[in-house]
Amino acid sequence: MKKLICGFAAAMLWAAPAAQADTVLLNASYDATRELYKDLGGVFRAQQKAKGEAVTLNSSHGGSGAQSRAVIDGLQADIVTLALAADIDQIARRAKLLPADWQTRLPNNSAPYTSTIVFLVRKGNPKAIKDWGDLVRPGVTVIAPNPKTGGASRWAYLAAWAWAEKRPGGSAQKARDFVSVLYKHVPVLDSSGRGSSITFTRRGLGDVLLNWENEAKLALKEKGGDQYQIVYPSRSILAEPPVALLDRNVDRKGSRKAATAFLNFLYGKPAQEIAARHFYRPRDPAILAAHRAEFPTLPLATIDGDFGGWAKAQATHFADGGIFDQIYRPGQ
């Protein structure tokens, strides 16, 4: 009998660690979401713990395009929360880690929050920058990230293009001419929106920063934020940073249940409120209305309506040999 009890106890000791072990999720995300996913991960962990489940969210950050390439090259992420759908499309097409129709699996094109592109200028706006056309005036230096590596940069490029094409007398050729001149005013292309924020705020370069609305608001919130102010242009773009589960990775790691729960959590009210507090525009109408003062309404171009979707926009503007490669000539 004693031997039987000891054997049972040994079995219980062996089983206990497995029951308590965390499911550790890896989220491959873009640079500007560092603070957001730190907070979201903490709240999600607490919620799951209350259900008797232990889940930890770790996040990897970098330029959205660079993160996409890292996943394709073997980064074992369970989920991706990138800056634009084109980067997740690349993962689906090249690495086959998720289906081509991944964007239909969650509400709102799999984007639980949105953002837009704004201008951050020095306090007092000494260069009197009010709209896109002011960015190409002589003597104005623009800080913007690289459209080949970051997400904010591609949204900014497309917002500038849409403004020039849709303004009175505008055309595709005039839009091309405008962005060609605009990038002559950009002395350095950082790899991500966060990198450009550092260049503008800490290195003190440039008269105006083109970046995510949430990055601009974060700059105002941080120490020294009273040195800057935000300018909303007459027209910008609806930026939809999407999220997705990487099927082959989660099935190999046994993390599908936890990863699915986290993505669904992003659409719930606690996560939507956290997104709003971090200056992302929540999808929940009531929470967005409660934070309306933080998010001015302005005309927004859309990737589908103005550019024919990400597949077309990526191929036309950002693929090797596309329009950006044709117009951007460093040092010229």
Side-chain angles (χ1 to χ4, degrees), residues 138-207:
V140 173
T141 300
V142 179
I143 301 299
N146 188 344
K148 302 288 281 189
T149 58
S153 45
R154 275 173 277 181
W155 288 117
Y157 169 105
L158 294 174
W161 182 287
W163 174 83
E165 185 174 30
K166 301 300 182 182
R167 67 192 303 246
S171 66
Q173 183 58 52
K174 289 183 178 179
R176 180 188 175 113
D177 294 342
F178 175 73
V179 295
S180 179
V181 175
L182 171 60
Y183 281 91
K184 288 181 172 63
H185 287 250
V186 181
V188 57
L189 289 175
D190 292 291
S191 63
S192 68
R194 179 58 56 88
S196 287
S197 291
I198 291 171
T199 294
F200 185 77
T201 60
R202 299 184 190 173
R203 296 177 60 196
L205 300 182
D207 302 302

Side-chain angles (χ1 to χ4, degrees), residues 37-177:
Y37 280 101
K38 181 179 179 181
D39 280 3
L40 287 170
V43 173
F44 177 69
R45 179 176 174 82
Q47 284 193 1
Q48 295 303 103
K49 184 177 181 180
K51 299 175 183 178
E53 300 177 10
V55 183
T56 296
L57 179 75
N58 292 333
S59 292
S60 165
H61 296 276
S64 187
Q67 289 290 82
S68 174
R69 288 190 294 274
V71 171
I72 291 167
D73 290 342
L75 178 66
Q76 294 298 298
D78 301 88
I79 60 174
V80 286
T81 59
L82 296 180
L84 37 85
D87 288 332
I88 304 180
D89 286 339
Q90 288 271 46
I91 297 170
R93 185 173 70 255
R94 294 176 57 189
K96 312 297 184 186
L97 295 179
L98 72 171
D101 66 349
W102 62 269
Q103 209 165 2
T104 66
R105 300 198 293 187
L106 288 167
N108 304 120
N109 294 322
S110 289
Y113 46 80
T114 70
S115 190
T116 191
I117 298 298
V118 301
F119 305 162
L120 188 69
V121 299
R122 308 289 173 188
K123 189 68 174 180
N125 197 4
K127 294 295 179 74
I129 294 167
K130 298 179 180 179
D131 210 350
W132 293 98
D134 298 322
L135 304 183
V136 297
R137 294 199 321 255
V140 173
T141 300
V142 179
I143 301 299
N146 188 344
K148 302 288 281 189
T149 58
S153 45
R154 275 173 277 181
W155 288 117
Y157 169 105
L158 294 174
W161 182 287
W163 174 83
E165 185 174 30
K166 301 300 182 182
R167 67 192 303 246
S171 66
Q173 183 58 52
K174 289 183 178 179
R176 180 188 175 113
D177 294 342

